[in-house]
mmCIF file with all atom_site columns, all heavy atoms in Angstrom:
data_model
loop_
_atom_site.group_PDB
_atom_site.id
_atom_site.type_symbol
_atom_site.label_atom_id
_atom_site.label_alt_id
_atom_site.label_comp_id
_atom_site.label_asym_id
_atom_site.label_entity_id
_atom_site.label_seq_id
_atom_site.pdbx_PDB_ins_code
_atom_site.Cartn_x
_atom_site.Cartn_y
_atom_site.Cartn_z
_atom_site.occupancy
_atom_site.B_iso_or_equiv
_atom_site.pdbx_formal_charge
_atom_site.auth_seq_id
_atom_site.auth_comp_id
_atom_site.auth_asym_id
_atom_site.auth_atom_id
_atom_site.pdbx_PDB_model_num
ATOM 1  N N   . THR A 1 25 ? 20.145 14.073 49.369 1.00 98.00 ? 25 THR A N   1
ATOM 2  C CA  . THR A 1 25 ? 20.691 13.361 50.514 1.00 98.00 ? 25 THR A CA  1
ATOM 3  C C   . THR A 1 25 ? 22.184 13.643 50.605 1.00 98.00 ? 25 THR A C   1
ATOM 4  O O   . THR A 1 25 ? 22.928 13.414 49.637 1.00 98.00 ? 25 THR A O   1
ATOM 5  C CB  . THR A 1 25 ? 20.485 11.844 50.399 1.00 98.00 ? 25 THR A CB  1
ATOM 6  O OG1 . THR A 1 25 ? 19.069 11.606 50.288 1.00 98.00 ? 25 THR A OG1 1
ATOM 7  C CG2 . THR A 1 25 ? 21.023 11.100 51.612 1.00 98.00 ? 25 THR A CG2 1
ATOM 8  N N   . THR A 1 26 ? 22.582 14.226 51.701 1.00 98.00 ? 26 THR A N   1
ATOM 9  C CA  . THR A 1 26 ? 24.016 14.476 52.007 1.00 98.00 ? 26 THR A CA  1
ATOM 10 C C   . THR A 1 26 ? 24.344 13.751 53.314 1.00 98.00 ? 26 THR A C   1
ATOM 11 O O   . THR A 1 26 ? 23.472 13.205 53.965 1.00 98.00 ? 26 THR A O   1
ATOM 12 C CB  . THR A 1 26 ? 24.278 15.996 52.194 1.00 98.00 ? 26 THR A CB  1
ATOM 13 O OG1 . THR A 1 26 ? 23.526 16.495 53.298 1.00 98.00 ? 26 THR A OG1 1
ATOM 14 C CG2 . THR A 1 26 ? 23.971 16.775 50.932 1.00 98.00 ? 26 THR A CG2 1
ATOM 15 N N   . ARG A 1 27 ? 25.614 13.746 53.669 1.00 98.00 ? 27 ARG A N   1
ATOM 16 C CA  . ARG A 1 27 ? 26.060 13.158 54.946 1.00 98.00 ? 27 ARG A CA  1
ATOM 17 C C   . ARG A 1 27 ? 26.500 14.276 55.860 1.00 98.00 ? 27 ARG A C   1
ATOM 18 O O   . ARG A 1 27 ? 27.314 15.132 55.434 1.00 98.00 ? 27 ARG A O   1
ATOM 19 C CB  . ARG A 1 27 ? 27.232 12.195 54.725 1.00 98.00 ? 27 ARG A CB  1
ATOM 20 C CG  . ARG A 1 27 ? 26.791 10.792 54.293 1.00 98.00 ? 27 ARG A CG  1
ATOM 21 C CD  . ARG A 1 27 ? 27.979 9.838  54.326 1.00 98.00 ? 27 ARG A CD  1
ATOM 22 N NE  . ARG A 1 27 ? 29.271 10.411 54.008 1.00 98.00 ? 27 ARG A NE  1
ATOM 23 C CZ  . ARG A 1 27 ? 29.801 10.481 52.788 1.00 98.00 ? 27 ARG A CZ  1
ATOM 24 N NH1 . ARG A 1 27 ? 29.156 10.027 51.783 1.00 98.00 ? 27 ARG A NH1 1
ATOM 25 N NH2 . ARG A 1 27 ? 30.984 11.036 52.641 1.00 98.00 ? 27 ARG A NH2 1
ATOM 26 N N   . ARG A 1 28 ? 26.047 14.231 57.060 1.00 96.00 ? 28 ARG A N   1
ATOM 27 C CA  . ARG A 1 28 ? 26.556 15.154 58.071 1.00 96.00 ? 28 ARG A CA  1
ATOM 28 C C   . ARG A 1 28 ? 27.973 14.763 58.427 1.00 96.00 ? 28 ARG A C   1
ATOM 29 O O   . ARG A 1 28 ? 28.376 13.609 58.162 1.00 96.00 ? 28 ARG A O   1
ATOM 30 C CB  . ARG A 1 28 ? 25.651 15.106 59.303 1.00 96.00 ? 28 ARG A CB  1
ATOM 31 C CG  . ARG A 1 28 ? 24.242 15.594 59.104 1.00 96.00 ? 28 ARG A CG  1
ATOM 32 C CD  . ARG A 1 28 ? 23.436 15.489 60.397 1.00 96.00 ? 28 ARG A CD  1
ATOM 33 N NE  . ARG A 1 28 ? 22.056 15.891 60.205 1.00 96.00 ? 28 ARG A NE  1
ATOM 34 C CZ  . ARG A 1 28 ? 21.036 15.041 59.985 1.00 96.00 ? 28 ARG A CZ  1
ATOM 35 N NH1 . ARG A 1 28 ? 21.220 13.761 59.967 1.00 96.00 ? 28 ARG A NH1 1
ATOM 36 N NH2 . ARG A 1 28 ? 19.817 15.522 59.825 1.00 96.00 ? 28 ARG A NH2 1
ATOM 37 N N   . PRO A 1 29 ? 28.703 15.630 59.088 1.00 93.00 ? 29 PRO A N   1
ATOM 38 C CA  . PRO A 1 29 ? 30.070 15.317 59.490 1.00 93.00 ? 29 PRO A CA  1
ATOM 39 C C   . PRO A 1 29 ? 30.154 14.027 60.358 1.00 93.00 ? 29 PRO A C   1
ATOM 40 O O   . PRO A 1 29 ? 31.155 13.317 60.299 1.00 93.00 ? 29 PRO A O   1
ATOM 41 C CB  . PRO A 1 29 ? 30.538 16.550 60.282 1.00 93.00 ? 29 PRO A CB  1
ATOM 42 C CG  . PRO A 1 29 ? 29.806 17.685 59.602 1.00 93.00 ? 29 PRO A CG  1
ATOM 43 C CD  . PRO A 1 29 ? 28.445 17.088 59.287 1.00 93.00 ? 29 PRO A CD  1
ATOM 44 N N   . GLY A 1 31 ? 28.482 11.420 59.801 1.00 95.00 ? 31 GLY A N   1
ATOM 45 C CA  . GLY A 1 31 ? 28.142 10.307 58.928 1.00 95.00 ? 31 GLY A CA  1
ATOM 46 C C   . GLY A 1 31 ? 26.664 9.998  58.758 1.00 95.00 ? 31 GLY A C   1
ATOM 47 O O   . GLY A 1 31 ? 26.299 9.227  57.890 1.00 95.00 ? 31 GLY A O   1
ATOM 48 N N   . SER A 1 32 ? 25.831 10.636 59.549 1.00 97.00 ? 32 SER A N   1
ATOM 49 C CA  . SER A 1 32 ? 24.406 10.361 59.462 1.00 97.00 ? 32 SER A CA  1
ATOM 50 C C   . SER A 1 32 ? 23.820 11.072 58.237 1.00 97.00 ? 32 SER A C   1
ATOM 51 O O   . SER A 1 32 ? 24.296 12.116 57.815 1.00 97.00 ? 32 SER A O   1
ATOM 52 C CB  . SER A 1 32 ? 23.674 10.818 60.740 1.00 97.00 ? 32 SER A CB  1
ATOM 53 O OG  . SER A 1 32 ? 23.803 12.197 60.911 1.00 97.00 ? 32 SER A OG  1
ATOM 54 N N   . PRO A 1 33 ? 22.747 10.511 57.654 1.00 98.00 ? 33 PRO A N   1
ATOM 55 C CA  . PRO A 1 33 ? 22.149 11.122 56.464 1.00 98.00 ? 33 PRO A CA  1
ATOM 56 C C   . PRO A 1 33 ? 21.335 12.359 56.760 1.00 98.00 ? 33 PRO A C   1
ATOM 57 O O   . PRO A 1 33 ? 20.672 12.430 57.834 1.00 98.00 ? 33 PRO A O   1
ATOM 58 C CB  . PRO A 1 33 ? 21.285 10.021 55.855 1.00 98.00 ? 33 PRO A CB  1
ATOM 59 C CG  . PRO A 1 33 ? 20.930 9.174  57.060 1.00 98.00 ? 33 PRO A CG  1
ATOM 60 C CD  . PRO A 1 33 ? 22.080 9.251  57.994 1.00 98.00 ? 33 PRO A CD  1
ATOM 61 N N   . HIS A 1 34 ? 21.343 13.278 55.859 1.00 98.00 ? 34 HIS A N   1
ATOM 62 C CA  . HIS A 1 34 ? 20.525 14.506 55.923 1.00 98.00 ? 34 HIS A CA  1
ATOM 63 C C   . HIS A 1 34 ? 19.774 14.535 54.625 1.00 98.00 ? 34 HIS A C   1
ATOM 64 O O   . HIS A 1 34 ? 20.372 14.635 53.556 1.00 98.00 ? 34 HIS A O   1
ATOM 65 C CB  . HIS A 1 34 ? 21.432 15.718 56.081 1.00 98.00 ? 34 HIS A CB  1
ATOM 66 C CG  . HIS A 1 34 ? 20.667 17.009 56.144 1.00 98.00 ? 34 HIS A CG  1
ATOM 67 N ND1 . HIS A 1 34 ? 20.630 17.877 55.065 1.00 98.00 ? 34 HIS A ND1 1
ATOM 68 C CD2 . HIS A 1 34 ? 19.928 17.572 57.102 1.00 98.00 ? 34 HIS A CD2 1
ATOM 69 C CE1 . HIS A 1 34 ? 19.887 18.902 55.387 1.00 98.00 ? 34 HIS A CE1 1
ATOM 70 N NE2 . HIS A 1 34 ? 19.445 18.768 56.606 1.00 98.00 ? 34 HIS A NE2 1
ATOM 71 N N   . ASN A 1 62 ? 27.154 20.658 54.963 1.00 98.00 ? 62 ASN A N   1
ATOM 72 C CA  . ASN A 1 62 ? 27.569 19.253 54.858 1.00 98.00 ? 62 ASN A CA  1
ATOM 73 C C   . ASN A 1 62 ? 28.540 19.088 53.703 1.00 98.00 ? 62 ASN A C   1
ATOM 74 O O   . ASN A 1 62 ? 29.554 18.395 53.780 1.00 98.00 ? 62 ASN A O   1
ATOM 75 C CB  . ASN A 1 62 ? 26.375 18.342 54.671 1.00 98.00 ? 62 ASN A CB  1
ATOM 76 C CG  . ASN A 1 62 ? 25.572 18.158 55.904 1.00 98.00 ? 62 ASN A CG  1
ATOM 77 O OD1 . ASN A 1 62 ? 25.976 18.511 57.004 1.00 98.00 ? 62 ASN A OD1 1
ATOM 78 N ND2 . ASN A 1 62 ? 24.342 17.635 55.765 1.00 98.00 ? 62 ASN A ND2 1
ATOM 79 N N   . LEU A 1 71 ? 31.539 16.032 48.125 1.00 98.00 ? 71 LEU A N   1
ATOM 80 C CA  . LEU A 1 71 ? 30.807 15.025 48.863 1.00 98.00 ? 71 LEU A CA  1
ATOM 81 C C   . LEU A 1 71 ? 29.940 14.256 47.902 1.00 98.00 ? 71 LEU A C   1
ATOM 82 O O   . LEU A 1 71 ? 29.184 14.836 47.098 1.00 98.00 ? 71 LEU A O   1
ATOM 83 C CB  . LEU A 1 71 ? 29.967 15.693 49.943 1.00 98.00 ? 71 LEU A CB  1
ATOM 84 C CG  . LEU A 1 71 ? 29.097 14.786 50.817 1.00 98.00 ? 71 LEU A CG  1
ATOM 85 C CD1 . LEU A 1 71 ? 29.972 13.934 51.770 1.00 98.00 ? 71 LEU A CD1 1
ATOM 86 C CD2 . LEU A 1 71 ? 28.091 15.640 51.625 1.00 98.00 ? 71 LEU A CD2 1
ATOM 87 N N   . ARG A 1 72 ? 29.927 12.937 48.038 1.00 98.00 ? 72 ARG A N   1
ATOM 88 C CA  . ARG A 1 72 ? 29.010 12.085 47.199 1.00 98.00 ? 72 ARG A CA  1
ATOM 89 C C   . ARG A 1 72 ? 27.605 12.290 47.757 1.00 98.00 ? 72 ARG A C   1
ATOM 90 O O   . ARG A 1 72 ? 27.358 12.152 48.941 1.00 98.00 ? 72 ARG A O   1
ATOM 91 C CB  . ARG A 1 72 ? 29.417 10.659 47.259 1.00 98.00 ? 72 ARG A CB  1
ATOM 92 C CG  . ARG A 1 72 ? 28.538 9.812  46.317 1.00 98.00 ? 72 ARG A CG  1
ATOM 93 C CD  . ARG A 1 72 ? 29.353 8.686  45.710 1.00 98.00 ? 72 ARG A CD  1
ATOM 94 N NE  . ARG A 1 72 ? 28.613 8.049  44.667 1.00 98.00 ? 72 ARG A NE  1
ATOM 95 C CZ  . ARG A 1 72 ? 28.680 8.426  43.380 1.00 98.00 ? 72 ARG A CZ  1
ATOM 96 N NH1 . ARG A 1 72 ? 29.489 9.337  42.993 1.00 98.00 ? 72 ARG A NH1 1
ATOM 97 N NH2 . ARG A 1 72 ? 27.948 7.777  42.464 1.00 98.00 ? 72 ARG A NH2 1
#
Side-chain angles (χ1 to χ4, degrees):
T25 302
T26 61
R27 278 189 327 270
R28 294 180 183 97
S32 63
H34 178 256
N62 288 345
L71 178 69
R72 185 146 191 91

